[in-house]
Amino acid sequence: MVLALVIAAHTAAIQIGDIVFNPDNGHYYERVDANIDWEHSRLNAGKSYKGLIGHLATITSEEENQFIFEKLGGDKLKGHWIGGYKGPSSQGSVWHWISGERFTFVNFGPGEPNNNGGNEDGLQFHFTGQFVHGKWNDLPKLETGTDRALGYVVEYEAPIPF
């Protein structure tokens, strides 16, 4: 009976205030609401939580994307920056994660990324009616505004505690 309770504790997400623990990868996530551009979001995400240093969330699987979407408020994530960025123009339109992880999983919304205006180099959760189940959008990293850049998602990496 005790063993079953211990296993159950490690299979459920744990909410700690506004921070959620994902037992599948041992990482913590936090939604921060603010009218802010990608670069300032990146700098602010570098804060620490319980000794762990954060960064803009890097989403490398459908499961991780779904976890973040469900646990951090669903539609409240509209316009929130994540840790994807497009490299310098010399690298073409290649997307990167700020953590250095491979950018293999993608979840762009319909017609995205579209590089509208030629300078959409930051990644966010889509902010328009196309926002369904955590789809992504490219937007200029310097963009701010009440309906387009509404915050960011922080990821804190930690070893799984067992």
Side-chain angles (χ1 to χ4, degrees), residues 6 8 18 25 27 31 38 43 46 49 58 60 62 84 90 93 96 101 105 113 120 123 127 134 140 145-146 150:
V6 170
D18 293 331
N25 65 7
H27 297 184
R31 186 186 86 226
W38 187 91
L43 293 171
Y49 170 74
T58 57
T60 58
E62 175 62 35
S90 63
S93 59
H96 304 275
E101 295 167 276
F105 169 72
E120 292 192 335
L123 191 58
F127 60 89
T146 57
L150 300 174

Side-chain angles (χ1 to χ4, degrees), residues 45-54 156:
K47 64 185 179 184
S48 66
Y49 170 74
K50 293 192 173 190
L52 305 171
I53 303 299
Y156 305 95

Side-chain angles (χ1 to χ4, degrees), residues 38 56-59 80-84 97 123-125 136 152-153:
W38 187 91
L56 286 175
T58 57
I59 304 172
H80 282 63
W81 298 108
I82 54 179
W97 290 119
L123 191 58
Q124 66 169 189
F125 281 104
W136 305 343
Y152 54 98
V153 179

Side-chain angles (χ1 to χ4, degrees), residues 84-116:
Y85 68 96
K86 201 164 33 168
S89 58
S90 63
Q91 295 178 359
S93 59
V94 177
W95 286 90
H96 304 275
W97 290 119
I98 60 169
S99 63
E101 295 167 276
R102 293 180 51 127
F103 201 99
T104 54
F105 169 72
V106 296
N107 197 40
F108 288 104
E112 300 295 344
N114 63 6
N115 198 28
N116 189 19

